[in-house]
Amino acid sequence: MEALGDLVEKGKSALNFSMVEDSAEFCFTFGKDTNMKIGKIQNTFDTPRQNKSVFIPAKEVLSLFNIILKSRDQDSLFGFDDTYLDLVKALQIAPQRGRNFDAFADGRKKLEQVIKGKIEYDDQKNEWYYKRGNARFTIGMTSEGVKKNCYFQSIAL
């Protein structure tokens, strides 16, 4: 993609986006000739949300964690999107015991309930793991298991 306008569906003149929460609205529009800047933006959200969203990355981001850091920070290569670099840098920040914001602690507890375990980073092995009880699985193995489980559940339907 070289320009924003490349995102406009073929045969359409513009891309329209709208998000409504309660009575607030955020929307924008841009045409197929738009290069870098969106001209029409409407935002009636008065205050930022207190709770932030968390992006759960694909296993490839976790698997390539060190490669993304090295290629961007040390080698100054641009093979990975900035969102991957931002995510990897955020993942480097270890949780602080006793000094967390309540929203982060609550969010982490809810996420652990949803995935029925937790994700941990092993500094010595430079790998991410999914931990459930006393069992520990690599992210790759966990991802494949989830995919197969979803596949077999869809076949059973």
Side-chain angles (χ1 to χ4, degrees):
M1 181 178 89
E2 293 182 21
L4 280 173
D6 294 343
L7 294 172
V8 177
E9 186 179 336
K10 290 187 185 209
K12 304 277 182 172
S13 60
L15 183 144
N16 299 301
F17 174 83
S18 179
M19 177 180 79
V20 178
E21 183 179 0
D22 297 326
S23 62
E25 182 178 29
F26 174 77
C27 48
F28 63 83
T29 301
F30 60 87
K32 59 185 176 183
D33 297 329
T34 304
N35 286 320
M36 295 178 61
K37 188 174 180 181
I38 298 173
K40 297 178 184 177
I41 298 175
Q42 178 182 346
N43 184 3
T44 60
F45 283 87
D46 292 333
T47 57
R49 290 177 41 203
Q50 290 197 347
N51 295 326
K52 302 295 181 198
S53 300
V54 174
F55 170 70
I56 301 174
K59 73 169 184 153
E60 289 78 15
V61 174
L62 296 177
S63 301
L64 299 172
F65 183 86
N66 291 315
I67 294 170
I68 293 169
L69 276 176
K70 184 179 181 313
S71 73
R72 292 296 302 274
D73 283 351
Q74 294 173 10
D75 301 338
S76 297
L77 299 174
F78 299 99
F80 294 98
D81 187 281
D82 284 347
T83 55
Y84 290 168
L85 180 63
D86 292 344
L87 178 60
V88 167
K89 285 183 175 185
L91 289 170
Q92 281 186 302
I93 302 168
Q96 304 288 318
R97 291 202 187 277
R99 297 189 315 187
N100 285 326
F101 292 105
D102 290 339
F104 289 140
D106 292 343
R108 187 170 43 255
K109 286 176 189 171
K110 288 177 184 175
L111 182 60
E112 288 172 2
Q113 288 172 354
V114 168
I115 66 172
K116 297 180 175 78
K118 57 174 76 176
I119 305 297
E120 296 178 343
Y121 185 72
D122 186 327
D123 289 320
Q124 294 172 338
K125 292 186 177 184
N126 290 331
E127 284 190 279
W128 288 93
Y129 290 90
Y130 167 73
K131 186 173 181 185
R132 185 182 225 173
N134 291 328
R136 193 167 110 159
F137 307 95
T138 64
I139 286 297
M141 182 191 287
T142 303
S143 174
E144 291 304 315
V146 168
K147 281 188 219 172
K148 288 178 181 163
N149 186 31
C150 291
Y151 172 75
F152 288 120
Q153 284 180 0
S154 67
I155 289 176
L157 297 175

